[in-house]
Amino acid sequence: MSKPARVLTFKCVKCEKPVKVFLQKVSACSHIQPYQGVCACGEIKRHATGSKDAVQSYLASPEGQWSHHH
C-alpha cells in the first residue's frame, strides 16, 4: 500500500485561489488520512481520504474537535 500524499492542492470555495492542505498527524491507521489547510483569504479547507464513515465524521465535526478511536 502506498503512503498518502503529504500535501494536496484544491481551489478555495471562497476566492477560487489554490489552497494547499497538509496531511494531519494520525496514528498508524489506514482508515482515514485527514488533511487541513488555510487559504490566503482565511478560509479553512478540510479534506480526507479513507473509510467513508470516518471521512464523513471528520468533515462534519466542529473545527479542531475530531478524533479517531479504535
Side-chain angles (χ1 to χ4, degrees):
M1 185 177 205
S2 63
K3 288 186 173 185
R6 292 189 176 273
V7 180
L8 299 174
T9 304
F10 293 92
K11 188 185 288 188
C12 179
V13 295
K14 193 172 183 183
C15 71
E16 297 193 4
K17 291 182 181 175
V19 57
K20 288 184 179 179
V21 294
F22 299 88
L23 183 63
Q24 302 297 294
K25 202 172 210 178
V26 177
S27 64
C29 172
S30 62
H31 295 314
I32 185 168
Q33 293 83 42
Y35 293 83
Q36 184 170 301
V38 180
C39 182
C41 74
E43 184 74 10
I44 294 172
K45 171 67 178 171
R46 297 195 309 169
H47 176 74
T49 60
S51 162
K52 183 179 177 182
D53 292 338
V55 168
Q56 286 178 340
S57 169
Y58 173 68
L59 296 177
S61 69
E63 185 63 39
Q65 306 220 354
W66 178 82
S67 62
H68 183 64
H69 301 285
H70 287 270

